[in-house]
Amino acid sequence: MTVPREMPEKWPRVRAPGGAEEERRVRANAREYNEKFQYASNCIKTSKYNIVTFLPVNLFEQFQEVANTYFLFLLILQLIPQISSLSWFTTIVPLVLVLTITAVKDATDDYFRHKSDNQVNNRQSQVLIGGVLRQEQWMNVRVGDIIKLENNQFVAADLLLLSSSEPHGLCYIETAELDGETNMKVRQAIPVTSELGDTSKLARFDGEVICEPPNNKLDKFGGMLYWKENKYPLSNQNMLLRGCVLRNTEWCFGLVIFAGPDTKLMQNSGRTKFKRTSIDRLMNTLVLWIFGFLVCMGVILAIGNAIWEHEVGVCFQIYLPWDEGVHSAFFSGFLSFWSYIIILNTVVPISLYVSVEVIRLGHSYFINWDKKMYCAKRRTPAEARTTTLNEELGQVEYIFSDKTGTLTQNIMVFSKCSVNGHSYGDVQDVLGHKAELGEKPEPVDFSFNPLADPRFQFWDPSLLEAVKLGDPHVHEFFRLLSLCHTVMSEEKSEGELYYKAQSPDEGALVTAARNFGFVFRSRTPKTITVHELGRAITYQLLAILDFNNIRKRMSVIVRSPEGKIRLYCKGADTILLERLHPINQDLTNVTTDHLNEYAGEGLRTLVLAYRDLEESYYEDWSERLHRAGSAPEAREDRLARLYDEVEYDMMLLGATAIEDKLQQGVPETIAILTLANIKIWVLTGDKQETAVNIGYSCKMLTDDMTEVFVVTGHTVLEVREELRKAREKMMDASRSMGNGFYQEKLSSSKLTSVLEAIAGEYALVINGHSLAHALEADMEVEFLETACACKAVICCRVTPLQKAQVVELVKKYKKAVTLAIGDGANDVSMIKTAHIGVGISGQEGIQAVLASDYSFSQFKFLQRLLLVHGRWSYLRMCKFLCYFFYKNFAFTMVHFWFGFFCGFSAQTVYDQYFITLYNIVYTSLPVLAMGVFDQDVPEQRSMEYPKLYEPGQLNLLFNKREFFICIAQGIYTSVLMFFIPYGVFADATRDDGAQLADYQSFAVTVATSLVIVVSVQIGLDTGFWTAINHFFIWGSLAAYFAILFAMHSDGLFQMFPNQFRFVGNAQNTLAQPTVWLTIALTTVVCIMPVVAFRFLKLDLKPELSDTVRYTQLVRKKQKTQHRCMRRVGRVGSRRSGYAFSHQEGFGELIMSGKNMRLSSLALSSFAARPSAGWIETLRKKKGSDGSTAGSPSGAADKTLKDSRGTRCWDARERTSR
């Protein structure tokens, strides 16, 4: 290969000093040369372990967990004879069990990763080696190899397309594994290599590619091919990425540029940021506190030991000598400290962490198995893609939602159009008059057109009449729609056309033109064939001026068979209306009125225009375009300037209006979530009018609202002033209503709490350019204060980065859980930023789903995910943790009290086998059953009473206060558990008159009392009984007695005489009536205060869930009919607009060849409970915390009524009945 003169004689370093690759250099058919750079092979490895490394690496990873390290430390202490008062197996059995379960899970996951890796690495590929095609496994492919792909084969690595079986080096690919889109996309080889069609020519190809280093940008590639003294620019249009599938192309050849882990597919498979719940963070804090409490208990008992040994123990050295090596009371106390650390460690049992993971796994399966969240149409179930966030679903306060495809269906229907000042598309009756609401006239008959799409429907026959009568403007209108697009056409059989559009909008427009007689039939890189009213016409395609988010328009330049050159353009009205010739002013005014009308109906609008070009001008412009396209630097900027130049002084043709219908159940879902005190913000790339109209359609915005603030400022000062005015209006309105707010200047935190308690309902709408200023550091707090005071917030024309910034802003200043939901790749950053990310598997691929924590197919399922699964998960986890800490403190603190009666000798009360089995056999399954299956009210009531969701938002069910209550109850139980049997045994005798008080009998009595008390307690805590709960609770009790009698049996003694010495002790002890009376007394005294407290609380201060359960019982007795929601219609309309959903670059590829109404809101049965006041007090208190902003709260909790006068349940009245 000859190096061109422009290239330096000495190549720059390919790798930076730190090892990072600065650029990539690949020479075709030169393995030895390419191996110098040590590029990655094509072998991928997603697995973590192999047979040799599994055990050490997995154990190392597991001991990264503080809890596991803590228990390993305890195990080491137990191996020291001088301080161990328990056998080593009391710790090693639970520890090994936990490590084994986790290791088996990790090994299973890694086995499937190995299996997947082997399947991919062993795929076969044809590699050109020595001029001959050889079958090689994918993992043996190297950078610089030329490989051959055949139709329907996966692309093995990131390839530079060299040639193909199609004309002009074209090939078609499907990118479902990259972005989830199943539309075909076109790629093209550069002309100089497209002729290398046979292996002999390819074997002699020695071109060298210098390009960007490996990165994860799927839509970008920059590089240069040097070959035969020339250089050729390369772009993403020339690349085939790993994971794509070759379609409708017999074969193609490609040069491997990136292999294995360097491919863009693998570069995008990085791990998502690990998310932790607020309960996880609280639990970590509580465990540290418990450890501190454990140390304090150890210190107290160690001091007691030192004092006892100094004062009392020294007098009994003859028959109770100190252990070897202990020479002082102080050292004895030091050893006693470590002994008690071992004995009392069960206040933080290792089984806690395992149980939490098992419960979360169970909750995840419930979500996956929920048939009510299964979409039969798409055969898509709900999926919990993580098991760590389930309980946080019950604490969400802010939802950030995309619009298109999330709230709407993203299925576009051509609804109306304006052509030369005439509006078409209103539904008409048989007499040609506009049909009244509710009439269903016949759709337009397209039977004259054999190529019409039978699924397309249009209701205004006058447009078809205009086509048949030869209206030139209407013909030109549909001619533009049939030519100005990037749709690919596939004809499966004669006359059966199948369009593959890059966006649903494009597909709808081309299909409309097809039905009205202008049928896009086929295309080549340089031509487009259209059947115009049955006559085939081929236009020469001269240029495609592609769409991007800045231009917001696309154009094509075509030459008609008559030789006339014309530019056709379609785009957003805000852009195109500025580029029209002044002669269009009158027509522009009429068309703008039509746009306002369409937008008011929630339709996505688009403006169409054209311009005739002189041959000489086009030739000059085309030459400049070619030079700009070949420029190595600032290519995009040069092209943009040329596009702007030619897209000017255009003639207006008309406008289109496309309907993007709301998804089923969206208004109801938003209304119910709002009543659950969840604030919903819509973040969309659509224009303001469209987003506002959808806001009205889905009942986020209503005509009853006090005011809707619109922020459209273009400068920092304008935005700040608009936000200030909005806040002042809200404050003034509240003062005028007599709310008594302070007149003086308030602090930031006080202002926030006052704003969030304002009277009236407000909404905020802000544009993307205004939002950019509002998110600046000196204004973000002002924006947040204003937005949080509003019931609804809509951000329009926002970028993906701005979506993430808004979510991050709320996370930063609000002590609130956030959830982001979207369906497209532009929502990924928002989904990853929020505490919880939800992906909707819709029309825009699966990138949002792949980045999400939970996924389903329809927005309405969010209501069930939060109000049922989320609330239940939070409730269950909180009840589990409360009970778990209670039972372990009740169990462990008995040792502490016993220490004062055994000379602080670190002697245990219980048998060591009981200590081992208490948390893993006797009490583990009942609490797991409660944590997995419990529910306070049925799912129907959870949906019917959204206010039941509030305790999770306020974190009422498990917090530091609840934790201390659980600990206090556990300590109280341990005191009674120890001192009642101790007092009884002091003077009790057996039936035969012998003394009852011996150590083993006392241990059996206390252990039996403990198991019975905690079993009765979990029976009281269980709100929803299943057969599994019954089996686990009573089965655990039965297992306790079976194991107890077995361990004191003759059989075990004969087999292990050194371990089970106390033969018959359990039988003898439990045969004494005194023991059973003691157990019964202990149980009653421990449980009765709890029962009494709960009864009084239920009677005097019931929670909403208590009231709901009571009303449910009343309903069953009275057999009253359920209420139905009123249907609420919307009056009025708002301006809307069209938003492109294209991606940039598609047109260039081709050119190179390449209002639902509200229903069934069962909120009329909403309960105004006596406890509403204290919930609101807590909410306001929470709102006033923090330096700048607190947690948001709604308006003061009124008697819960529907705003339109629907009657509500009065909980106090129902309770009094």
Side-chain angles (χ1 to χ4, degrees):
M1 188 192 87
T2 308
V3 179
R5 288 191 296 270
E6 300 95 307
M7 295 180 65
E9 294 181 6
K10 193 172 183 179
W11 298 109
R13 284 193 308 244
V14 174
R15 293 186 184 272
E21 196 172 332
E22 292 180 341
E23 68 177 18
R24 172 151 297 205
R25 177 165 300 142
V26 179
R27 185 178 296 174
N29 295 313
R31 278 197 173 186
E32 291 184 3
Y33 173 80
N34 296 320
E35 284 174 357
K36 292 190 301 182
F37 303 110
Q38 299 177 346
Y39 295 137
S41 72
N42 204 40
C43 179
I44 63 163
K45 180 185 176 184
T46 60
S47 58
K48 295 166 63 177
Y49 319 107
N50 57 41
I51 295 176
V52 176
T53 63
F54 173 72
L55 198 58
V57 173
N58 185 259
L59 286 176
F60 176 76
E61 289 177 345
Q62 291 200 57
F63 283 115
Q64 301 272 306
E65 294 285 338
V66 175
N68 290 340
T69 306
Y70 166 66
F71 287 106
L72 179 64
F73 172 68
L74 288 176
L75 177 60
I76 294 170
L77 290 180
Q78 284 181 281
L79 296 176
I80 303 173
Q82 287 81 3
I83 63 174
S84 179
S85 56
L86 287 175
S87 297
W88 53 269
F89 62 77
T90 58
T91 297
I92 200 170
V93 169
L95 180 60
V96 168
L97 184 65
V98 169
L99 295 177
T100 302
I101 291 173
T102 307
V104 168
K105 174 182 173 292
D106 292 343
T108 303
D109 291 344
D110 208 56
Y111 166 75
F112 287 111
R113 284 193 288 262
H114 271 287
K115 192 174 181 180
S116 174
D117 289 348
N118 289 335
Q119 181 183 356
V120 172
N121 288 330
N122 290 318
R123 285 176 178 170
Q124 295 294 309
S125 184
Q126 299 181 68
V127 183
L128 186 64
I129 300 176
V132 179
L133 285 172
R134 297 181 182 175
Q135 289 288 339
E136 291 280 354
Q137 294 174 325
W138 274 24
M139 59 182 169
N140 295 327
V141 172
R142 297 289 182 268
V143 171
D145 287 353
I146 294 177
I147 65 176
K148 180 181 181 181
L149 297 174
E150 295 180 345
N151 194 32
N152 297 326
Q153 280 188 346
F154 278 94
V155 179
D158 289 358
L159 310 177
L160 170 66
L161 179 61
L162 297 177
S163 61
S164 77
S165 58
E166 301 300 300
H168 312 288
L170 279 176
C171 78
Y172 302 93
I173 57 171
E174 186 179 281
T175 60
E177 283 206 9
L178 288 174
D179 54 20
E181 296 179 6
T182 55
N183 330 331
M184 279 196 300
K185 297 178 174 61
V186 64
R187 295 292 184 267
Q188 186 184 22
I190 58 175
V192 71
T193 65
S194 62
E195 300 171 358
L196 305 176
D198 58 73
T199 54
S200 59
K201 293 180 179 178
L202 287 165
R204 294 192 297 271
F205 176 66
D206 61 350
E208 184 158 359
V209 173
I210 299 179
C211 65
E212 62 188 24
N215 59 74
N216 61 358
K217 297 177 182 177
L218 293 172
D219 57 345
K220 299 287 184 183
F221 178 81
M224 199 74 70
L225 170 65
Y226 294 91
W227 188 43
K228 293 183 178 178
E229 301 284 345
N230 293 309
K231 60 180 180 179
Y232 308 92
L234 304 176
S235 70
N236 200 49
Q237 307 158 13
N238 313 122
M239 296 294 293
L240 305 180
L241 302 185
R242 181 185 180 123
C244 299
V245 181
L246 194 66
R247 300 292 192 200
N248 296 355
T249 307
E250 188 177 339
W251 54 262
C252 72
F253 286 94
L255 172 65
V256 178
I257 304 296
F258 302 119
D262 291 342
T263 59
K264 292 183 183 287
L265 175 66
M266 298 304 295
Q267 292 277 312
N268 273 280
S269 62
R271 293 181 179 178
T272 304
K273 180 183 177 183
F274 182 69
K275 298 178 180 181
R276 299 185 71 89
T277 67
S278 57
I279 285 185
D280 276 334
R281 294 188 289 271
L282 175 60
M283 213 159 66
N284 288 339
T285 302
L286 297 180
V287 167
L288 290 175
W289 287 4
I290 292 172
F291 182 72
F293 181 65
L294 172 62
V295 171
C296 290
M297 288 193 295
V299 169
I300 291 170
L301 293 170
I303 293 172
N305 177 267
I307 295 173
W308 190 89
E309 290 289 357
H310 183 267
E311 299 293 335
V312 181
V314 71
C315 302
F316 300 93
Q317 285 293 306
I318 297 173
Y319 67 92
L320 281 178
W322 286 337
D323 293 335
E324 186 180 346
V326 179
H327 304 295
S328 67
F330 174 80
F331 191 66
S332 175
F334 173 76
L335 295 179
S336 179
F337 169 79
W338 295 107
S339 297
Y340 273 112
I341 291 295
I342 294 170
I343 292 172
L344 301 174
N345 80 83
T346 48
V347 287
V348 191
I350 193 171
S351 56
L352 171 65
Y353 296 92
V354 180
S355 301
V356 166
E357 293 307 316
V358 170
I359 289 171
R360 285 173 170 168
L361 185 64
H363 296 166
S364 298
Y365 277 116
F366 288 155
I367 294 172
N368 296 343
W369 294 339
D370 191 342
K371 292 182 179 179
K372 294 182 180 179
M373 294 172 67
Y374 175 78
C375 180
K377 183 178 179 181
R378 296 179 183 169
R379 297 181 180 179
T380 306
E383 181 184 4
R385 299 173 56 82
T386 180
T387 62
T388 60
L389 302 175
N390 296 327
E391 63 269 21
E392 199 141 75
L393 289 170
Q395 299 180 276
V396 173
E397 287 192 52
Y398 287 86
I399 292 176
F400 301 90
S401 175
D402 178 39
K403 183 189 75 66
T404 304
T406 303
L407 301 178
T408 62
Q409 298 180 23
N410 202 20
I411 299 175
M412 308 302 173
V413 178
F414 183 84
S415 180
K416 294 185 178 183
C417 63
S418 171
V419 184
N420 194 34
H422 296 281
S423 179
Y424 301 93
D426 288 322
V427 179
Q428 297 185 354
D429 58 23
V430 292
L431 299 178
H433 301 123
K434 188 173 181 179
E436 297 297 327
L437 188 65
E439 292 186 28
K440 291 185 177 179
E442 290 294 318
V444 175
D445 181 12
F446 293 105
S447 58
F448 79 97
N449 182 1
L451 295 176
D453 186 338
R455 296 168 297 178
F456 178 84
Q457 289 186 321
F458 197 74
W459 307 95
D460 186 354
S462 61
L463 183 57
L464 183 58
E465 289 298 319
V467 172
K468 292 180 177 179
L469 291 174
D471 187 321
H473 297 100
V474 175
H475 280 206
E476 199 66 17
F477 178 90
F478 285 115
R479 184 174 293 117
L480 185 152
L481 293 182
S482 66
L483 293 171
C484 185
H485 56 80
T486 57
V487 174
M488 304 299 295
S489 175
E490 182 180 351
E491 195 160 354
K492 295 184 176 180
S493 60
E494 181 64 30
E496 186 182 350
L497 291 174
Y498 178 65
Y499 290 155
K500 293 195 174 182
Q502 188 190 6
S503 71
D505 307 83
E506 285 237 292
L509 294 174
V510 178
T511 299
R514 166 184 175 179
N515 277 58
F516 282 97
F518 288 75
V519 184
F520 163 60
R521 196 67 181 265
S522 62
R523 70 159 75 242
T524 70
K526 299 299 181 183
T527 64
I528 297 180
T529 300
V530 179
H531 281 222
E532 298 184 359
L533 300 176
R535 186 166 60 99
I537 299 178
T538 299
Y539 292 86
Q540 184 180 352
L541 182 59
L542 302 177
I544 293 182
L545 283 57
D546 213 352
F547 166 87
N548 65 32
N549 286 321
I550 299 173
R551 285 166 40 76
K552 295 183 177 63
R553 63 191 184 275
M554 75 159 291
S555 302
V556 296
I557 301 177
V558 297
R559 190 194 302 271
S560 68
E562 295 79 21
K564 191 175 182 180
I565 299 177
R566 178 167 286 185
L567 175 143
Y568 290 108
C569 182
K570 66 180 180 184
D573 53 358
T574 53
I575 301 297
L576 245 66
L577 294 180
E578 299 173 350
R579 298 178 164 273
L580 299 178
H581 194 282
I583 199 174
N584 291 275
Q585 189 58 52
D586 292 339
L587 180 57
T588 299
N589 294 336
V590 176
T591 304
T592 301
D593 291 338
H594 291 158
L595 285 169
N596 290 334
E597 178 187 337
Y598 301 155
E601 298 172 15
L603 305 178
R604 296 157 65 92
T605 56
L606 189 67
V607 173
L608 312 182
Y610 71 92
R611 177 187 176 187
D612 290 321
L613 302 178
E614 296 291 337
E615 182 76 37
S616 57
Y617 171 79
Y618 170 73
E619 292 294 338
D620 174 62
W621 181 86
S622 178
E623 176 62 29
R624 288 182 286 143
L625 181 71
H626 178 72
R627 289 199 300 267
S630 303
E633 296 178 356
R635 178 174 177 265
E636 287 79 7
D637 292 339
R638 297 184 183 188
L639 290 174
R641 286 194 293 269
L642 286 169
Y643 291 172
D644 283 344
E645 176 191 323
V646 75
E647 292 170 327
Y648 219 78
D649 284 345
M650 294 184 288
M651 303 299 293
L652 178 61
L653 268 176
T656 63
I658 292 176
E659 182 178 10
D660 184 9
K661 295 182 179 179
L662 278 179
Q663 289 186 20
Q664 182 183 4
V666 167
E668 293 88 341
T669 300
I670 289 178
I672 289 178
L673 293 177
T674 302
L675 287 169
N677 201 51
I678 298 174
K679 295 191 175 183
I680 302 176
W681 295 20
V682 172
L683 312 177
T684 177
D686 270 357
K687 63 186 298 184
Q688 176 184 316
E689 293 82 0
T690 307
V692 168
N693 188 268
I694 293 297
Y696 277 95
S697 300
C698 63
K699 303 299 184 284
M700 279 184 65
L701 307 179
T702 66
D703 294 314
D704 297 330
M705 280 186 160
T706 309
E707 188 165 352
V708 177
F709 302 110
V710 179
V711 178
T712 57
H714 285 79
T715 66
V716 174
L717 293 177
E718 289 175 356
V719 174
R720 191 188 300 276
E721 182 65 18
E722 289 176 3
L723 291 174
R724 184 187 60 79
K725 287 181 179 179
R727 290 197 302 278
E728 286 182 353
K729 282 187 178 181
M730 288 188 280
M731 295 289 290
D732 291 342
S734 296
R735 292 193 190 99
S736 66
M737 295 178 70
N739 284 4
F741 287 121
Y742 297 103
Q743 298 293 329
E744 65 270 16
K745 187 177 180 181
L746 298 167
S747 66
S748 178
S749 61
K750 182 66 70 177
L751 176 63
T752 301
S753 61
V754 169
L755 278 173
E756 291 180 354
I758 60 170
E761 292 184 347
Y762 298 89
L764 176 69
V765 179
I766 183 167
N767 270 310
H769 52 78
S770 304
L771 184 63
H773 297 304
L775 291 175
E776 291 178 3
D778 59 339
M779 206 192 305
E780 59 182 14
V781 175
E782 295 180 49
F783 166 65
L784 188 65
E785 289 169 354
T786 310
C788 289
C790 297
K791 180 182 176 182
V793 178
I794 298 177
C795 303
C796 319
R797 291 298 196 203
V798 294
T799 65
L801 178 60
Q802 285 178 326
K803 290 184 178 185
Q805 288 174 333
V806 171
V807 176
E808 189 62 47
L809 179 64
V810 174
K811 285 178 63 179
K812 180 179 178 182
Y813 290 105
K814 292 290 178 182
K815 297 175 183 177
V817 176
T818 59
L819 180 148
I821 179 169
D823 74 317
N826 60 333
D827 303 315
V828 168
S829 57
M830 171 177 74
I831 286 172
K832 287 186 174 182
T833 302
H835 291 100
I836 302 168
V838 178
I840 289 186
S841 46
Q843 305 291 321
E844 294 189 27
I846 59 171
Q847 285 194 32
V849 171
L850 294 177
S852 67
D853 305 304
Y854 301 89
S855 68
F856 41 71
S857 60
Q858 295 184 45
F859 182 84
K860 67 178 181 179
F861 295 149
L862 184 62
Q863 173 186 347
R864 186 170 177 83
L865 181 71
L866 298 185
L867 300 188
V868 177
H869 291 288
R871 201 183 72 82
W872 278 353
S873 294
Y874 174 71
L875 170 76
R876 291 162 177 166
M877 185 60 71
C878 292
K879 292 182 73 172
F880 163 81
L881 291 172
C882 287
Y883 176 79
F884 209 97
F885 286 121
Y886 153 75
K887 77 179 180 67
N888 280 284
F889 266 78
F891 165 65
T892 305
M893 289 299 293
V894 173
H895 294 304
F896 182 77
W897 311 125
F898 185 55
F900 291 89
F901 297 89
C902 68
F904 305 96
S905 60
Q907 176 65 41
T908 61
V909 177
Y910 314 112
D911 177 85
Q912 59 185 2
Y913 295 101
F914 179 82
I915 294 174
T916 304
L917 298 176
Y918 177 77
N919 274 310
I920 62 176
V921 176
Y922 301 149
T923 60
S924 60
L925 295 179
V927 71
L928 278 178
M930 182 180 71
V932 173
F933 299 109
D934 200 50
Q935 50 185 266
D936 54 348
V937 297
E939 59 181 78
Q940 298 90 340
R941 299 292 172 260
S942 293
M943 307 273 275
E944 188 177 345
Y945 297 90
K947 279 288 180 181
L948 287 167
Y949 192 78
E950 280 198 19
Q953 296 171 324
L954 298 172
N955 207 18
L956 296 181
L957 300 186
F958 186 74
N959 49 43
K960 293 170 184 176
R961 175 178 174 272
E962 292 296 322
F963 169 73
F964 285 119
I965 290 173
C966 298
I967 298 309
Q969 184 187 353
I971 294 174
Y972 164 79
T973 301
S974 70
V975 169
L976 297 176
M977 200 80 64
F978 176 78
F979 285 102
I980 290 177
Y982 183 82
V984 171
F985 272 55
D987 299 313
T989 59
R990 297 180 182 272
D991 293 340
D992 57 4
Q995 183 71 24
L996 181 60
D998 66 74
Y999 171 69
Q1000 280 298 316
S1001 296
F1002 181 75
V1004 168
T1005 304
V1006 175
T1008 304
S1009 300
L1010 176 64
V1011 172
I1012 291 175
V1013 167
V1014 297
S1015 296
V1016 173
Q1017 181 66 48
I1018 199 169
L1020 291 173
D1021 289 346
T1022 300
F1024 182 72
W1025 286 85
T1026 66
I1028 296 175
N1029 293 85
H1030 282 289
F1031 177 75
F1032 282 173
I1033 292 175
W1034 314 127
S1036 295
L1037 267 176
Y1040 164 72
F1041 284 108
I1043 293 171
L1044 178 66
F1045 289 127
M1047 286 195 302
H1048 294 84
S1049 65
D1050 294 334
L1052 276 181
F1053 171 72
Q1054 291 172 2
M1055 288 186 287
F1056 308 101
N1058 293 328
Q1059 296 292 326
F1060 303 97
R1061 303 168 186 163
F1062 303 99
V1063 181
N1065 178 68
Q1067 294 87 332
N1068 293 337
T1069 302
L1070 296 178
Q1072 303 300 317
T1074 305
V1075 172
W1076 283 108
L1077 286 171
T1078 303
I1079 293 172
L1081 177 62
T1082 305
T1083 304
V1084 170
V1085 176
C1086 288
I1087 296 299
M1088 282 309 295
V1090 178
V1091 174
F1093 173 78
R1094 293 187 182 182
F1095 177 81
L1096 290 172
K1097 182 182 177 185
L1098 188 64
D1099 190 56
L1100 301 175
K1101 197 176 181 181
E1103 295 179 355
L1104 180 57
S1105 57
D1106 302 322
T1107 307
V1108 171
R1109 281 198 300 272
Y1110 176 76
T1111 55
Q1112 187 178 0
L1113 291 172
V1114 172
R1115 286 179 179 182
K1116 287 182 179 178
K1117 291 178 181 178
Q1118 297 178 350
K1119 296 182 179 179
T1120 56
Q1121 296 180 347
H1122 291 289
R1123 301 176 191 272
C1124 296
M1125 279 186 336
R1126 286 193 313 113
R1127 302 173 76 83
V1128 181
R1130 175 187 162 249
V1131 181
S1133 61
R1134 296 293 183 273
R1135 174 68 193 272
S1136 176
Y1138 178 89
F1140 261 109
S1141 55
H1142 290 280
Q1143 295 174 0
E1144 183 178 4
F1146 207 75
E1148 192 172 345
L1149 289 177
I1150 292 174
M1151 271 310 292
S1152 60
K1154 1 174 187 170
N1155 295 346
M1156 289 189 62
R1157 305 167 72 88
L1158 203 59
S1159 66
S1160 64
L1161 271 177
L1163 305 169
S1164 54
S1165 53
F1166 217 70
R1169 67 230 185 260
S1171 55
W1174 63 270
I1175 280 193
E1176 281 307 317
T1177 302
L1178 276 173
R1179 184 177 292 287
K1180 290 175 183 176
K1181 182 179 179 182
K1182 184 182 177 188
S1184 63
D1185 289 342
S1187 59
T1188 52
S1191 178
S1193 64
D1197 196 350
K1198 318 178 213 25
T1199 300
L1200 298 167
K1201 286 185 177 180
D1202 185 276
S1203 61
R1204 296 156 188 81
T1206 309
R1207 187 166 61 86
C1208 304
W1209 293 101
D1210 187 326
R1212 190 189 301 275
E1213 178 184 305
R1214 292 191 169 275
T1215 305
S1216 66
R1217 291 180 190 169

